[in-house]
Short mmCIF file of all heavy atoms in Angstrom, two decimals:
data_model
loop_
_atom_site.label_atom_id
_atom_site.label_comp_id
_atom_site.label_asym_id
_atom_site.label_seq_id
_atom_site.Cartn_x
_atom_site.Cartn_y
_atom_site.Cartn_z
N MET A 1 -37.62 4.06 -13.55
CA MET A 1 -36.37 3.28 -13.96
C MET A 1 -35.35 3.46 -12.91
O MET A 1 -34.84 4.56 -12.72
CB MET A 1 -35.96 3.82 -15.34
CG MET A 1 -34.75 3.25 -15.85
SD MET A 1 -34.40 3.81 -17.48
CE MET A 1 -33.00 2.95 -17.92
N GLY A 2 -35.00 2.45 -12.15
CA GLY A 2 -34.05 2.60 -11.04
C GLY A 2 -32.71 2.18 -11.45
O GLY A 2 -32.52 1.48 -12.47
N LEU A 3 -31.75 2.43 -10.64
CA LEU A 3 -30.39 2.01 -10.83
C LEU A 3 -30.24 0.52 -10.37
O LEU A 3 -30.76 0.14 -9.35
CB LEU A 3 -29.39 2.79 -10.02
CG LEU A 3 -29.10 4.28 -10.54
CD1 LEU A 3 -28.28 4.92 -9.50
CD2 LEU A 3 -28.46 4.24 -11.92
N ALA A 4 -29.54 -0.29 -11.08
CA ALA A 4 -29.25 -1.65 -10.65
C ALA A 4 -28.16 -1.57 -9.67
O ALA A 4 -27.13 -0.82 -9.81
CB ALA A 4 -28.81 -2.49 -11.87
N LEU A 5 -28.26 -2.30 -8.60
CA LEU A 5 -27.24 -2.34 -7.51
C LEU A 5 -25.92 -2.66 -7.97
O LEU A 5 -24.95 -2.08 -7.52
CB LEU A 5 -27.70 -3.24 -6.36
CG LEU A 5 -28.89 -2.83 -5.51
CD1 LEU A 5 -29.18 -3.87 -4.48
CD2 LEU A 5 -28.62 -1.50 -4.92
N GLU A 6 -25.78 -3.57 -8.97
CA GLU A 6 -24.43 -3.92 -9.44
C GLU A 6 -23.78 -2.84 -10.23
O GLU A 6 -22.61 -2.86 -10.43
CB GLU A 6 -24.54 -5.25 -10.29
CG GLU A 6 -25.32 -5.15 -11.54
CD GLU A 6 -26.81 -5.39 -11.31
OE1 GLU A 6 -27.26 -5.64 -10.21
OE2 GLU A 6 -27.52 -5.34 -12.36
N LYS A 7 -24.50 -1.75 -10.57
CA LYS A 7 -23.86 -0.63 -11.28
C LYS A 7 -23.43 0.42 -10.37
O LYS A 7 -22.82 1.37 -10.73
CB LYS A 7 -24.84 -0.07 -12.32
CG LYS A 7 -25.14 -1.02 -13.51
CD LYS A 7 -25.99 -0.36 -14.53
CE LYS A 7 -26.14 -1.49 -15.61
NZ LYS A 7 -26.23 -0.88 -16.94
N LEU A 8 -23.80 0.37 -9.07
CA LEU A 8 -23.38 1.36 -8.13
C LEU A 8 -21.95 1.15 -7.74
O LEU A 8 -21.47 -0.03 -7.63
CB LEU A 8 -24.29 1.32 -6.92
CG LEU A 8 -25.72 1.79 -7.18
CD1 LEU A 8 -26.54 1.58 -5.82
CD2 LEU A 8 -25.75 3.21 -7.55
N PRO A 9 -21.16 2.14 -7.45
CA PRO A 9 -19.78 2.02 -7.08
C PRO A 9 -19.62 1.42 -5.71
O PRO A 9 -20.49 1.58 -4.85
CB PRO A 9 -19.18 3.36 -7.16
CG PRO A 9 -20.37 4.35 -7.04
CD PRO A 9 -21.55 3.54 -7.52
N ASP A 10 -18.46 0.79 -5.48
CA ASP A 10 -18.06 0.38 -4.17
C ASP A 10 -17.32 1.57 -3.57
O ASP A 10 -16.17 1.81 -3.88
CB ASP A 10 -17.18 -0.87 -4.30
CG ASP A 10 -17.53 -1.97 -3.41
OD1 ASP A 10 -18.51 -1.84 -2.65
OD2 ASP A 10 -16.85 -2.96 -3.38
N TRP A 11 -17.94 2.30 -2.62
CA TRP A 11 -17.34 3.48 -2.14
C TRP A 11 -16.21 3.17 -1.13
O TRP A 11 -16.37 2.35 -0.26
CB TRP A 11 -18.37 4.36 -1.43
CG TRP A 11 -19.37 4.86 -2.34
CD1 TRP A 11 -20.57 4.36 -2.60
CD2 TRP A 11 -19.24 5.89 -3.37
NE1 TRP A 11 -21.34 5.03 -3.53
CE2 TRP A 11 -20.45 6.01 -4.02
CE3 TRP A 11 -18.21 6.73 -3.70
CZ2 TRP A 11 -20.68 6.97 -5.02
CZ3 TRP A 11 -18.43 7.68 -4.68
CH2 TRP A 11 -19.67 7.81 -5.33
N PRO A 12 -15.05 3.82 -1.29
CA PRO A 12 -13.92 3.57 -0.38
C PRO A 12 -14.20 4.21 1.00
O PRO A 12 -15.06 5.04 1.25
CB PRO A 12 -12.68 4.30 -1.04
CG PRO A 12 -13.37 5.32 -1.93
CD PRO A 12 -14.72 4.81 -2.29
N ALA A 13 -13.31 3.84 2.02
CA ALA A 13 -13.52 4.34 3.38
C ALA A 13 -13.13 5.81 3.42
O ALA A 13 -13.51 6.50 4.40
CB ALA A 13 -12.67 3.50 4.34
N ALA A 14 -12.29 6.39 2.51
CA ALA A 14 -11.91 7.72 2.49
C ALA A 14 -12.00 8.18 1.05
O ALA A 14 -11.69 7.39 0.11
CB ALA A 14 -10.51 7.95 3.03
N MET A 15 -12.39 9.48 0.83
CA MET A 15 -12.63 9.92 -0.56
C MET A 15 -12.07 11.33 -0.75
O MET A 15 -12.17 12.14 0.25
CB MET A 15 -14.13 10.01 -0.84
CG MET A 15 -14.81 8.74 -0.69
SD MET A 15 -16.56 8.93 -0.82
CE MET A 15 -17.08 7.77 0.47
N ASN A 16 -11.72 11.68 -1.96
CA ASN A 16 -11.33 13.02 -2.25
C ASN A 16 -12.59 13.91 -2.37
O ASN A 16 -13.75 13.38 -2.35
CB ASN A 16 -10.40 13.10 -3.48
CG ASN A 16 -11.12 12.70 -4.81
OD1 ASN A 16 -12.37 12.77 -4.92
ND2 ASN A 16 -10.40 12.22 -5.74
N ARG A 17 -12.47 15.14 -2.61
CA ARG A 17 -13.60 16.04 -2.68
C ARG A 17 -14.61 15.75 -3.77
O ARG A 17 -15.82 15.67 -3.46
CB ARG A 17 -13.11 17.44 -2.86
CG ARG A 17 -14.25 18.56 -2.83
CD ARG A 17 -13.74 19.98 -2.95
NE ARG A 17 -12.91 20.23 -1.86
CZ ARG A 17 -13.36 20.54 -0.60
NH1 ARG A 17 -14.56 20.57 -0.32
NH2 ARG A 17 -12.45 20.78 0.30
N ASP A 18 -14.16 15.38 -4.97
CA ASP A 18 -15.10 15.07 -6.01
C ASP A 18 -15.90 13.78 -5.73
O ASP A 18 -17.01 13.77 -5.91
CB ASP A 18 -14.28 14.89 -7.32
CG ASP A 18 -13.78 16.18 -7.93
OD1 ASP A 18 -14.29 17.28 -7.56
OD2 ASP A 18 -12.81 16.10 -8.68
N TRP A 19 -15.19 12.77 -5.14
CA TRP A 19 -15.95 11.58 -4.78
C TRP A 19 -16.86 11.80 -3.68
O TRP A 19 -17.92 11.24 -3.57
CB TRP A 19 -14.87 10.47 -4.38
CG TRP A 19 -14.23 9.86 -5.65
CD1 TRP A 19 -14.02 10.40 -6.87
CD2 TRP A 19 -13.87 8.47 -5.75
NE1 TRP A 19 -13.34 9.52 -7.63
CE2 TRP A 19 -13.29 8.29 -7.04
CE3 TRP A 19 -13.89 7.40 -4.91
CZ2 TRP A 19 -12.85 7.10 -7.47
CZ3 TRP A 19 -13.40 6.22 -5.37
CH2 TRP A 19 -12.83 6.07 -6.67
N ALA A 20 -16.42 12.65 -2.62
CA ALA A 20 -17.27 12.93 -1.48
C ALA A 20 -18.51 13.62 -1.94
O ALA A 20 -19.62 13.38 -1.43
CB ALA A 20 -16.48 13.78 -0.50
N LEU A 21 -18.41 14.62 -2.89
CA LEU A 21 -19.64 15.26 -3.41
C LEU A 21 -20.58 14.27 -4.15
O LEU A 21 -21.73 14.30 -3.92
CB LEU A 21 -19.18 16.39 -4.35
CG LEU A 21 -18.55 17.63 -3.64
CD1 LEU A 21 -17.95 18.51 -4.70
CD2 LEU A 21 -19.57 18.35 -2.84
N ALA A 22 -19.89 13.38 -4.97
CA ALA A 22 -20.71 12.36 -5.66
C ALA A 22 -21.42 11.46 -4.68
O ALA A 22 -22.59 11.10 -4.83
CB ALA A 22 -19.86 11.56 -6.68
N TYR A 23 -20.67 11.05 -3.59
CA TYR A 23 -21.17 10.05 -2.69
C TYR A 23 -22.35 10.64 -1.88
O TYR A 23 -23.39 10.02 -1.64
CB TYR A 23 -20.04 9.65 -1.70
CG TYR A 23 -20.46 8.76 -0.51
CD1 TYR A 23 -20.79 7.40 -0.76
CD2 TYR A 23 -20.54 9.29 0.73
CE1 TYR A 23 -21.15 6.57 0.30
CE2 TYR A 23 -20.88 8.42 1.81
CZ TYR A 23 -21.22 7.11 1.53
OH TYR A 23 -21.65 6.31 2.56
N THR A 24 -22.24 11.87 -1.44
CA THR A 24 -23.30 12.46 -0.62
C THR A 24 -24.38 13.05 -1.38
O THR A 24 -25.47 13.13 -0.90
CB THR A 24 -22.66 13.60 0.32
OG1 THR A 24 -22.08 14.58 -0.59
CG2 THR A 24 -21.61 13.08 1.26
N GLY A 25 -24.14 13.55 -2.63
CA GLY A 25 -25.09 14.17 -3.46
C GLY A 25 -25.42 15.62 -3.08
O GLY A 25 -26.27 16.23 -3.57
N VAL A 26 -24.63 16.14 -2.15
CA VAL A 26 -24.79 17.57 -1.75
C VAL A 26 -23.97 18.47 -2.66
O VAL A 26 -23.05 17.99 -3.29
CB VAL A 26 -24.36 17.79 -0.22
CG1 VAL A 26 -25.18 16.86 0.68
CG2 VAL A 26 -22.90 17.59 0.01
N GLY A 27 -24.31 19.79 -2.52
CA GLY A 27 -23.44 20.75 -3.32
C GLY A 27 -22.27 21.04 -2.66
O GLY A 27 -22.00 20.87 -1.46
N SER A 28 -21.43 21.81 -3.41
CA SER A 28 -20.13 22.30 -2.95
C SER A 28 -20.30 23.24 -1.76
O SER A 28 -19.49 23.09 -0.80
CB SER A 28 -19.37 22.99 -4.09
OG SER A 28 -18.10 23.38 -3.67
N ASP A 29 -21.30 24.09 -1.78
CA ASP A 29 -21.54 24.98 -0.60
C ASP A 29 -21.79 24.26 0.67
O ASP A 29 -21.32 24.58 1.80
CB ASP A 29 -22.73 26.00 -0.91
CG ASP A 29 -22.29 26.92 -1.92
OD1 ASP A 29 -21.06 27.21 -2.23
OD2 ASP A 29 -23.18 27.68 -2.46
N GLN A 30 -22.63 23.14 0.62
CA GLN A 30 -22.97 22.32 1.80
C GLN A 30 -21.65 21.63 2.26
O GLN A 30 -21.46 21.59 3.52
CB GLN A 30 -23.98 21.26 1.43
CG GLN A 30 -24.34 20.40 2.62
CD GLN A 30 -25.00 21.08 3.73
OE1 GLN A 30 -26.06 21.65 3.59
NE2 GLN A 30 -24.31 21.14 4.86
N MET A 31 -20.83 21.16 1.39
CA MET A 31 -19.60 20.45 1.78
C MET A 31 -18.67 21.51 2.51
O MET A 31 -18.03 21.21 3.57
CB MET A 31 -18.86 19.91 0.59
CG MET A 31 -17.67 19.05 0.98
SD MET A 31 -18.06 17.52 1.86
CE MET A 31 -18.96 16.62 0.64
N LYS A 32 -18.55 22.73 1.97
CA LYS A 32 -17.79 23.85 2.60
C LYS A 32 -18.36 24.11 3.99
O LYS A 32 -17.61 24.34 4.95
CB LYS A 32 -17.74 25.06 1.71
CG LYS A 32 -16.93 24.86 0.53
CD LYS A 32 -17.06 26.12 -0.35
CE LYS A 32 -16.19 25.89 -1.73
NZ LYS A 32 -16.47 27.00 -2.65
N GLU A 33 -19.67 24.15 4.15
CA GLU A 33 -20.26 24.46 5.47
C GLU A 33 -19.85 23.29 6.42
O GLU A 33 -19.51 23.60 7.57
CB GLU A 33 -21.80 24.54 5.30
CG GLU A 33 -22.50 24.78 6.58
CD GLU A 33 -23.99 24.91 6.45
OE1 GLU A 33 -24.49 25.45 5.46
OE2 GLU A 33 -24.73 24.42 7.31
N TRP A 34 -19.97 22.09 5.99
CA TRP A 34 -19.55 20.97 6.84
C TRP A 34 -18.11 21.05 7.32
O TRP A 34 -17.73 20.84 8.39
CB TRP A 34 -19.79 19.60 6.17
CG TRP A 34 -21.18 19.19 6.11
CD1 TRP A 34 -22.23 19.72 6.89
CD2 TRP A 34 -21.76 18.20 5.18
NE1 TRP A 34 -23.39 19.06 6.49
CE2 TRP A 34 -23.08 18.14 5.56
CE3 TRP A 34 -21.15 17.38 4.30
CZ2 TRP A 34 -23.93 17.24 4.82
CZ3 TRP A 34 -22.03 16.52 3.61
CH2 TRP A 34 -23.33 16.40 3.96
N GLU A 35 -17.22 21.55 6.38
CA GLU A 35 -15.83 21.73 6.72
C GLU A 35 -15.66 22.89 7.65
O GLU A 35 -14.87 22.72 8.62
CB GLU A 35 -15.06 22.07 5.39
CG GLU A 35 -14.83 20.88 4.46
CD GLU A 35 -14.08 21.23 3.22
OE1 GLU A 35 -12.81 21.23 3.42
OE2 GLU A 35 -14.65 21.49 2.20
N ARG A 36 -16.31 23.98 7.44
CA ARG A 36 -16.18 25.13 8.45
C ARG A 36 -16.61 24.68 9.83
O ARG A 36 -16.10 25.10 10.83
CB ARG A 36 -17.09 26.26 7.94
CG ARG A 36 -16.36 27.12 6.89
CD ARG A 36 -17.19 28.46 6.58
NE ARG A 36 -18.46 28.25 6.04
CZ ARG A 36 -18.73 28.09 4.84
NH1 ARG A 36 -17.76 28.16 3.85
NH2 ARG A 36 -19.99 27.93 4.36
N ALA A 37 -17.67 23.88 9.89
CA ALA A 37 -18.24 23.43 11.21
C ALA A 37 -17.44 22.28 11.82
O ALA A 37 -17.59 21.87 12.90
CB ALA A 37 -19.68 22.97 11.04
N GLY A 38 -16.43 21.77 11.01
CA GLY A 38 -15.61 20.66 11.50
C GLY A 38 -16.27 19.29 11.41
O GLY A 38 -15.77 18.34 11.95
N ARG A 39 -17.36 19.20 10.68
CA ARG A 39 -18.15 17.88 10.57
C ARG A 39 -17.37 17.03 9.60
O ARG A 39 -17.36 15.81 9.82
CB ARG A 39 -19.50 18.19 9.99
CG ARG A 39 -20.39 19.06 10.87
CD ARG A 39 -20.96 18.29 12.05
NE ARG A 39 -21.68 17.15 11.64
CZ ARG A 39 -21.65 15.96 12.31
NH1 ARG A 39 -20.85 15.82 13.33
NH2 ARG A 39 -22.32 14.94 11.87
N VAL A 40 -16.77 17.55 8.57
CA VAL A 40 -16.05 16.81 7.57
C VAL A 40 -14.69 17.48 7.48
O VAL A 40 -14.61 18.71 7.24
CB VAL A 40 -16.79 16.81 6.16
CG1 VAL A 40 -15.86 16.15 5.12
CG2 VAL A 40 -18.14 16.09 6.27
N ARG A 41 -13.58 16.66 7.57
CA ARG A 41 -12.31 17.20 7.45
C ARG A 41 -11.52 16.46 6.33
O ARG A 41 -11.45 15.20 6.45
CB ARG A 41 -11.54 17.15 8.79
CG ARG A 41 -12.19 18.05 9.82
CD ARG A 41 -11.43 18.13 11.12
NE ARG A 41 -11.24 16.84 11.73
CZ ARG A 41 -10.51 16.49 12.77
NH1 ARG A 41 -9.78 17.48 13.24
NH2 ARG A 41 -10.47 15.29 13.16
N PHE A 42 -11.02 17.19 5.45
CA PHE A 42 -10.17 16.63 4.43
C PHE A 42 -8.71 16.70 4.89
O PHE A 42 -8.28 17.79 5.37
CB PHE A 42 -10.29 17.37 3.08
CG PHE A 42 -11.63 17.09 2.37
CD1 PHE A 42 -12.78 17.81 2.71
CD2 PHE A 42 -11.75 16.05 1.47
CE1 PHE A 42 -14.00 17.51 2.10
CE2 PHE A 42 -12.92 15.69 0.86
CZ PHE A 42 -14.01 16.49 1.19
N ARG A 43 -8.00 15.65 4.82
CA ARG A 43 -6.57 15.61 5.29
C ARG A 43 -5.72 15.06 4.13
O ARG A 43 -6.13 14.20 3.36
CB ARG A 43 -6.51 14.70 6.53
CG ARG A 43 -7.23 15.18 7.69
CD ARG A 43 -7.12 14.23 8.84
NE ARG A 43 -7.86 14.60 9.95
CZ ARG A 43 -9.05 14.05 10.37
NH1 ARG A 43 -9.54 13.13 9.66
NH2 ARG A 43 -9.73 14.46 11.44
N PRO A 44 -4.41 15.45 4.08
CA PRO A 44 -3.51 14.96 3.05
C PRO A 44 -3.04 13.58 3.39
O PRO A 44 -1.97 13.35 3.94
CB PRO A 44 -2.35 15.98 3.09
CG PRO A 44 -2.33 16.54 4.48
CD PRO A 44 -3.79 16.43 4.95
N ARG A 45 -3.91 12.55 2.98
CA ARG A 45 -3.54 11.12 3.31
C ARG A 45 -3.52 10.27 2.03
O ARG A 45 -3.18 9.16 2.15
CB ARG A 45 -4.54 10.62 4.32
CG ARG A 45 -4.69 11.32 5.62
CD ARG A 45 -3.45 11.15 6.44
NE ARG A 45 -3.55 11.55 7.82
CZ ARG A 45 -3.17 12.77 8.26
NH1 ARG A 45 -2.58 13.60 7.38
NH2 ARG A 45 -3.33 13.15 9.49
N GLY A 46 -3.93 10.82 0.97
CA GLY A 46 -4.00 10.04 -0.26
C GLY A 46 -2.68 9.97 -1.00
O GLY A 46 -1.74 10.54 -0.64
N PRO A 47 -2.68 9.40 -2.21
CA PRO A 47 -1.57 9.28 -3.05
C PRO A 47 -1.11 10.72 -3.41
O PRO A 47 -1.96 11.64 -3.69
CB PRO A 47 -2.02 8.58 -4.31
CG PRO A 47 -3.23 7.77 -3.88
CD PRO A 47 -3.87 8.66 -2.78
N ARG A 48 0.15 11.01 -3.29
CA ARG A 48 0.77 12.30 -3.56
C ARG A 48 0.15 13.39 -2.77
O ARG A 48 -0.02 14.49 -3.28
CB ARG A 48 0.79 12.62 -5.13
CG ARG A 48 1.63 11.62 -5.91
CD ARG A 48 1.59 11.90 -7.32
NE ARG A 48 0.34 11.81 -8.04
CZ ARG A 48 -0.34 10.78 -8.42
NH1 ARG A 48 0.21 9.53 -8.23
NH2 ARG A 48 -1.46 10.82 -9.03
N GLY A 49 -0.24 13.08 -1.57
CA GLY A 49 -0.85 14.13 -0.63
C GLY A 49 -2.25 14.55 -0.94
O GLY A 49 -2.71 15.55 -0.49
N ALA A 50 -2.95 13.69 -1.74
CA ALA A 50 -4.39 14.04 -2.07
C ALA A 50 -5.21 14.15 -0.76
O ALA A 50 -4.97 13.43 0.20
CB ALA A 50 -4.98 12.94 -2.88
N MET A 51 -6.03 15.17 -0.70
CA MET A 51 -6.86 15.43 0.48
C MET A 51 -8.06 14.42 0.50
O MET A 51 -8.78 14.34 -0.45
CB MET A 51 -7.41 16.90 0.37
CG MET A 51 -6.24 17.91 0.29
SD MET A 51 -5.22 17.95 1.88
CE MET A 51 -6.40 18.84 2.98
N LEU A 52 -8.17 13.77 1.56
CA LEU A 52 -9.23 12.80 1.80
C LEU A 52 -10.07 13.00 3.05
O LEU A 52 -9.57 13.51 4.03
CB LEU A 52 -8.61 11.30 1.86
CG LEU A 52 -7.74 10.89 0.75
CD1 LEU A 52 -7.19 9.44 1.08
CD2 LEU A 52 -8.51 10.83 -0.52
N ALA A 53 -11.36 12.70 2.94
CA ALA A 53 -12.21 12.69 4.03
C ALA A 53 -12.82 11.30 4.35
O ALA A 53 -12.98 10.52 3.36
CB ALA A 53 -13.42 13.68 3.74
N LEU A 54 -13.04 10.99 5.55
CA LEU A 54 -13.59 9.74 5.91
C LEU A 54 -14.99 9.60 5.52
O LEU A 54 -15.78 10.44 5.69
CB LEU A 54 -13.42 9.50 7.45
CG LEU A 54 -12.08 9.20 7.95
CD1 LEU A 54 -12.07 9.20 9.51
CD2 LEU A 54 -11.47 7.99 7.43
N ARG A 55 -15.30 8.45 4.96
CA ARG A 55 -16.74 8.11 4.60
C ARG A 55 -17.67 8.19 5.84
O ARG A 55 -18.76 8.63 5.76
CB ARG A 55 -16.85 6.74 3.94
CG ARG A 55 -18.27 6.41 3.46
CD ARG A 55 -18.33 5.06 2.76
NE ARG A 55 -18.14 4.09 3.73
CZ ARG A 55 -17.62 2.87 3.48
NH1 ARG A 55 -17.33 2.55 2.25
NH2 ARG A 55 -17.44 1.93 4.41
N ALA A 56 -17.11 7.76 7.01
CA ALA A 56 -17.92 7.73 8.22
C ALA A 56 -18.30 9.27 8.60
O ALA A 56 -19.40 9.45 9.09
CB ALA A 56 -17.07 7.12 9.40
N ASP A 57 -17.36 10.19 8.43
CA ASP A 57 -17.72 11.59 8.61
C ASP A 57 -18.74 12.08 7.74
O ASP A 57 -19.63 12.86 8.08
CB ASP A 57 -16.43 12.52 8.55
CG ASP A 57 -15.42 12.23 9.72
OD1 ASP A 57 -15.84 11.51 10.66
OD2 ASP A 57 -14.26 12.63 9.56
N LEU A 58 -18.66 11.63 6.42
CA LEU A 58 -19.67 12.07 5.43
C LEU A 58 -21.00 11.51 5.83
O LEU A 58 -22.03 12.20 5.69
CB LEU A 58 -19.25 11.65 4.03
CG LEU A 58 -17.94 12.25 3.45
CD1 LEU A 58 -17.47 11.45 2.28
CD2 LEU A 58 -18.09 13.72 3.25
N ASP A 59 -21.09 10.21 6.22
CA ASP A 59 -22.35 9.58 6.66
C ASP A 59 -22.90 10.33 7.81
O ASP A 59 -24.20 10.60 7.85
CB ASP A 59 -22.06 8.11 6.97
CG ASP A 59 -21.73 7.27 5.75
OD1 ASP A 59 -22.12 7.68 4.67
OD2 ASP A 59 -21.24 6.15 5.96
N ALA A 60 -22.11 10.69 8.81
CA ALA A 60 -22.57 11.37 10.01
C ALA A 60 -23.12 12.75 9.66
O ALA A 60 -24.15 13.12 10.13
CB ALA A 60 -21.54 11.52 11.05
N ALA A 61 -22.42 13.43 8.72
CA ALA A 61 -23.02 14.79 8.29
C ALA A 61 -24.26 14.67 7.63
O ALA A 61 -25.16 15.49 7.83
CB ALA A 61 -21.89 15.47 7.50
N LEU A 62 -24.40 13.64 6.79
CA LEU A 62 -25.66 13.51 6.09
C LEU A 62 -26.78 13.13 7.08
O LEU A 62 -27.96 13.65 6.97
CB LEU A 62 -25.61 12.36 5.03
CG LEU A 62 -25.02 12.70 3.74
CD1 LEU A 62 -24.77 11.34 2.92
CD2 LEU A 62 -25.93 13.68 2.94
N ALA A 63 -26.47 12.24 8.04
CA ALA A 63 -27.48 11.90 9.05
C ALA A 63 -27.96 13.14 9.81
O ALA A 63 -29.18 13.27 10.00
CB ALA A 63 -26.97 10.84 9.95
N ASP A 64 -27.05 13.99 10.11
CA ASP A 64 -27.41 15.23 10.86
C ASP A 64 -28.24 16.13 9.94
O ASP A 64 -29.20 16.80 10.41
CB ASP A 64 -26.19 15.97 11.33
CG ASP A 64 -25.60 15.31 12.56
OD1 ASP A 64 -26.26 14.41 13.18
OD2 ASP A 64 -24.50 15.67 12.86
N LEU A 65 -27.87 16.18 8.65
CA LEU A 65 -28.63 17.08 7.72
C LEU A 65 -30.09 16.68 7.62
O LEU A 65 -30.98 17.51 7.55
CB LEU A 65 -27.90 16.98 6.35
CG LEU A 65 -28.46 17.93 5.23
CD1 LEU A 65 -28.29 19.38 5.63
CD2 LEU A 65 -27.84 17.54 3.86
N PHE A 66 -30.33 15.35 7.57
CA PHE A 66 -31.71 14.94 7.41
C PHE A 66 -32.41 14.58 8.69
O PHE A 66 -33.54 14.23 8.74
CB PHE A 66 -31.70 13.68 6.49
CG PHE A 66 -31.50 14.02 5.11
CD1 PHE A 66 -30.25 13.87 4.53
CD2 PHE A 66 -32.60 14.48 4.31
CE1 PHE A 66 -30.07 14.20 3.18
CE2 PHE A 66 -32.35 14.81 2.97
CZ PHE A 66 -31.16 14.67 2.41
N GLY A 67 -31.64 14.68 9.83
CA GLY A 67 -32.17 14.39 11.10
C GLY A 67 -32.05 12.91 11.37
O GLY A 67 -31.85 12.14 10.52
N SER A 68 -32.13 12.51 12.65
CA SER A 68 -32.08 11.12 12.96
C SER A 68 -33.24 10.74 13.84
O SER A 68 -33.97 11.65 14.37
CB SER A 68 -30.76 10.85 13.67
OG SER A 68 -30.56 11.53 14.81
N GLU A 69 -33.49 9.51 14.04
CA GLU A 69 -34.58 9.09 14.92
C GLU A 69 -34.53 9.71 16.24
O GLU A 69 -33.50 9.90 16.85
CB GLU A 69 -34.59 7.52 15.04
CG GLU A 69 -34.91 6.85 13.72
CD GLU A 69 -35.03 5.32 13.96
OE1 GLU A 69 -35.48 4.88 15.01
OE2 GLU A 69 -34.51 4.61 13.00
N GLY A 70 -35.65 10.20 16.72
CA GLY A 70 -35.76 10.77 18.04
C GLY A 70 -35.50 12.30 17.98
O GLY A 70 -35.62 12.94 19.01
N LYS A 71 -35.07 12.83 16.83
CA LYS A 71 -34.85 14.25 16.75
C LYS A 71 -35.83 14.88 15.81
O LYS A 71 -35.69 16.10 15.35
CB LYS A 71 -33.50 14.49 16.15
CG LYS A 71 -32.34 14.08 17.05
CD LYS A 71 -31.00 14.48 16.43
CE LYS A 71 -29.90 14.16 17.35
NZ LYS A 71 -28.54 14.45 16.67
N GLY A 72 -36.90 14.22 15.48
CA GLY A 72 -37.96 14.74 14.66
C GLY A 72 -37.59 14.79 13.16
O GLY A 72 -38.13 15.51 12.37
N GLY A 73 -36.66 14.00 12.74
CA GLY A 73 -36.19 13.95 11.37
C GLY A 73 -37.11 13.13 10.56
O GLY A 73 -38.19 12.73 10.85
N ILE A 74 -36.65 12.93 9.30
CA ILE A 74 -37.45 12.17 8.35
C ILE A 74 -37.32 10.65 8.72
O ILE A 74 -36.20 10.12 8.92
CB ILE A 74 -36.96 12.37 6.90
CG1 ILE A 74 -37.07 13.85 6.55
CG2 ILE A 74 -37.59 11.52 5.90
CD1 ILE A 74 -36.40 14.19 5.30
N GLU A 75 -38.39 9.97 8.71
CA GLU A 75 -38.39 8.53 8.92
C GLU A 75 -38.80 7.79 7.64
O GLU A 75 -39.68 8.24 6.93
CB GLU A 75 -39.34 8.16 10.06
CG GLU A 75 -38.89 8.66 11.38
CD GLU A 75 -39.76 8.20 12.50
OE1 GLU A 75 -40.30 7.04 12.46
OE2 GLU A 75 -39.90 8.94 13.51
N PHE A 76 -38.07 6.69 7.39
CA PHE A 76 -38.41 5.97 6.16
C PHE A 76 -38.89 4.59 6.55
O PHE A 76 -38.61 4.08 7.46
CB PHE A 76 -37.16 5.77 5.28
CG PHE A 76 -36.69 7.10 4.74
CD1 PHE A 76 -35.65 7.82 5.42
CD2 PHE A 76 -37.23 7.67 3.60
CE1 PHE A 76 -35.22 9.02 4.87
CE2 PHE A 76 -36.76 8.84 3.11
CZ PHE A 76 -35.74 9.44 3.81
#
C-alpha cells in the first residue's frame, strides 16, 4: 500500500528542524551530526526568528549519506 502523490506535502525551500527531520527521514542524531560538520545550517530567517535550513542543503546531505553516482553508492 503506497502513498498517493497528491497526499504528499509540498516541501518549502527552507524548513524548521521538525520539518527538516520529517523531510529527510533521518534521526535527530544524524541531523546534529550534519550541523556539526557544517552540512546543514539552521539560521534565524523564519517568522519571529524561527531557525530554518535550506532544502538544498538537506538534499545534498542526504545524497552524501547514501552516496552518489561514481562514488560506489546505491544506484536505483
